[in-house]
Amino acid sequence: MSLENKNAVVYGAGGAVGGAVARAFARDGARVFLTGRNRAALDSLAKQIAADGGSAETAEVDAVDEGAVNRHLDAVVASAGSVDVSFNAIGIPQQGVQGIPLAELSVDSFRRPIVTYTTAHFVTATAAGRRMVPQGSGVIMMHTPEPARIGAPLVGGMGPMWAALEGLNRSLSAEFGPYGVRSLCLRTTGMVDTPVIDVVFGLHAEAIGITAEEFAGIMNGMTHRKRPTSLAELADVAALLASDRAAAMTGTVANLTGGVIVD
């Protein structure tokens, strides 16, 4: 129970990544606060967590809405006493964003992910940091895939956005670290056990004229293990890094790419 007595807020908890991380946090003892824009998905997840013996509460929160994020965190602090972990796992539809050459991509399609994701992560991270600094502890977390580090075709504005998040992670650590607040990023491959990757692989496969299964095979072949990161692997490492057992880690990226990127 490495997260016992910790309060963890998960943004985008209705999605595959957010849901897996929230379940891992709850499994390890955290009281989790599930946020997102789909209340039904959040309530379903909360029931699953409760059935497994965990504690979860839900709230509809748009992570790009600064006022909504701050009001929710005020409510969390009022009821639970602290915010100890903030994990942002929001997502946007990828149709019209990926699978299109940059030279053919509209300006709006290029900047949509850059504006949405960087705004949401800035809002949630700084809001959490303002509440963590006075208590002298806390962990801010985010997730990126391998195009944050390597050049990848047909990802549109997603690649620059993911690189920007990793840069934001370093800046958050530099500013909040002296006050006991850690900032960490987890970098994975595309995870085939998430619904969104079916869409993404399909877009890329169509763009280069192969099947989605063939494209997945190419992606798997880029790893040393010849298989992608799984949701369970991501969630387990997230729970570890959120705990005090990873107290020395901040301002860095946990490399879960299975060898696609070799540090």
Side-chain angles (χ1 to χ4, degrees), residues 33-120:
F33 294 83
L34 313 174
T35 79
R37 295 186 295 177
N38 185 336
R39 187 58 177 265
L42 299 175
D43 289 343
S44 176
L45 175 61
K47 289 179 181 178
Q48 294 172 29
I49 289 173
D52 291 335
S55 174
E57 299 179 28
T58 65
E60 287 188 47
V61 179
D62 186 342
V64 301
D65 185 335
E66 186 175 14
V69 169
N70 278 295
R71 287 190 296 272
H72 176 253
L73 289 185
D74 284 341
V76 170
V77 172
S79 67
S82 65
V83 176
D84 302 297
V85 182
S86 174
F87 191 103
N88 192 324
I90 68 154
I92 64 171
Q94 294 299 296
Q95 293 89 342
V97 173
Q98 294 201 54
I100 304 170
L102 288 174
E104 300 173 16
L105 193 67
S106 72
V107 172
D108 284 344
S109 293
F110 175 74
R111 69 186 175 193
R112 188 185 313 141
I114 296 173
V115 172
T116 303
Y117 285 93
T118 56
T119 299

Side-chain angles (χ1 to χ4, degrees), residues 142-233:
M142 60 187 72
H143 166 237
T144 58
E146 73 272 23
R149 176 75 177 271
I150 62 175
L154 306 176
V155 297
M158 297 295 291
M161 175 276 295
W162 287 317
L165 292 188
E166 295 192 0
L168 175 61
N169 173 59
R170 292 187 289 270
S171 295
L172 290 168
S173 179
E175 294 201 13
F176 289 137
Y179 303 97
V181 178
R182 298 187 290 124
S183 182
L184 292 162
C185 181
L186 293 87
R187 187 196 297 134
T188 68
T189 64
M191 293 175 288
V192 296
D193 45 356
T194 64
V196 71
I197 210 65
D198 291 337
V199 175
V200 171
F201 280 10
L203 292 171
H204 283 259
E206 182 179 2
I208 61 177
I210 61 175
T211 68
E213 292 74 16
E214 289 171 332
F215 186 80
I218 293 171
M219 294 297 99
N220 292 343
M222 294 173 62
T223 73
H224 290 180
R225 306 187 302 170
K226 306 308 176 187
R227 67 176 180 86
T229 314
S230 70
L231 266 176
E233 290 169 335

Side-chain angles (χ1 to χ4, degrees), residues 238-257:
L240 169 64
L241 298 187
S243 76
D244 293 339
R245 290 182 294 173
M249 295 183 66
T250 187
T252 192
V253 177
N255 184 354
L256 309 181
T257 65

